[in-house]
Amino acid sequence: EVQLLESGGGLVQPGGSLRLSCVASASTFNNFVMNWVRQTPGKGLQWVSAVTGSGTSTRYADSVKGRFTVSRDNSRNTVYLQMNSLRVEDTAIYYCAKIAVGGTTDFDHWGQGTLVTVSS
Amino acid sequence: QSLLTQPPSASGTPGQRVTMSCSAGSSNFGTSWVFWYQQLPGAAPKLLIYRTDQRPSGVPDRFSGSKSGTSASLSISGLRSEDEADYYCATWSDSLRGPVFGGGTKLTVL
């Protein structure tokens, strides 16, 4: 069973930066496509970003493109989300989630989430 | 605005069968798979149905998924109090090059 544990959330002012981390308990971590999905009370679930197992390919939702950067360190079983130029509307619980092998939208493991609040 | 539309709420009594819908609007799900997630209060989402009608290991067969044209459905038979949760549909969007989620349906077990 894969366990995912996020950290790094907190309160930040608009325009500020934050880096989220997600550690996985799996020896085959480098086989996983890892994603970040966020949840706001008003808009439900929103996919944010994905990174392939090797880390060489990344994708982003249009709403965060150019501001967020996803990366991973397979030696540490960790995926990161660097969030810059944060906006009030980025306030959400951020989950890291693993895609099932061969899948595209089947997030079969989720972390517990970390809360990001963007407010002055 | 979500590309997938779900009714905000649904309800049923214990033992009943409840069906929740997920509409792709003017688009057709076509050959795209549909996925369903269950989110219990205070918890992270959990994969409930994948590839439209497949259940992950450990998900009871009371849960079933289907799709037809522009609509997909999640059915729960033999409703139980522990099924009270938010349910989200999802699919892959070629135009957005990523997964998209519906707005979710809050299921209340009366």
Side-chain angles (χ1 to χ4, degrees):
Chain A
E1 180 73 10
V2 177
Q3 307 247 356
L4 303 173
L5 182 64
E6 304 96 335
S7 61
L11 174 63
V12 62
Q13 292 187 336
S17 298
L18 214 53
R19 188 176 85 154
L20 307 183
S21 300
C22 171
V23 180
S25 64
S27 59
T28 55
F29 177 72
N30 60 352
N31 290 340
F32 303 155
V33 175
M34 296 299 297
N35 293 253
W36 290 94
V37 178
R38 67 187 181 184
Q39 183 169 32
T40 61
K43 292 188 176 182
L45 295 168
Q46 181 190 24
W47 171 78
V48 173
S49 181
V51 58
T52 55
S54 63
T56 55
S57 181
T58 58
R59 286 182 286 108
Y60 301 92
D62 288 342
S63 58
V64 306
K65 204 171 292 183
R67 301 188 298 122
F68 290 12
T69 303
V70 63
S71 61
R72 64 192 297 160
D73 182 344
N74 286 341
S75 68
R76 297 176 183 268
N77 276 19
T78 302
V79 61
Y80 304 98
L81 186 67
Q82 177 67 43
M83 304 186 295
N84 299 331
S85 302
L86 280 162
R87 304 168 180 168
V88 171
E89 55 265 34
D90 294 320
T91 295
I93 298 172
Y94 284 74
Y95 296 99
C96 72
K98 164 191 165 295
I99 289 281
V101 175
T104 60
T105 311
D106 27 0
F107 301 100
D108 61 356
H109 290 84
W110 298 67
Q112 87 291 345
T114 187
L115 178 62
V116 172
T117 303
V118 184
S119 174
S120 54
Chain B
Q1 187 174 353
S2 177
L3 296 179
L4 300 178
T5 301
Q6 298 181 253
S9 64
S11 63
T13 56
Q16 248 187 343
R17 177 183 176 89
V18 170
T19 297
M20 289 170 273
S21 65
C22 172
S23 173
S26 57
S27 303
N28 192 312
F29 278 113
T31 57
S32 297
W33 288 317
V34 181
F35 302 79
W36 290 90
Y37 293 87
Q38 177 194 58
Q39 187 173 32
L40 296 171
K46 168 191 167 185
L47 182 63
L48 197 65
I49 297 287
Y50 69 100
R51 297 189 182 184
T52 302
D53 59 7
Q54 302 297 301
R55 286 186 306 278
S57 174
V59 173
D61 60 6
R62 301 186 297 108
F63 295 90
S64 62
S66 65
K67 78 169 185 181
S68 178
T70 62
S71 184
S73 297
L74 171 70
S75 294
I76 309 174
S77 60
L79 196 63
R80 298 182 179 183
S81 58
E82 57 260 38
D83 297 332
E84 189 161 282
D86 293 325
Y87 292 86
Y88 295 91
C89 61
T91 194
W92 177 265
S93 169
D94 286 332
S95 59
L96 298 181
R97 294 186 66 240
V100 290
F101 292 89
T105 295
K106 184 176 185 63
L107 175 64
T108 300
V109 181
L110 302 170

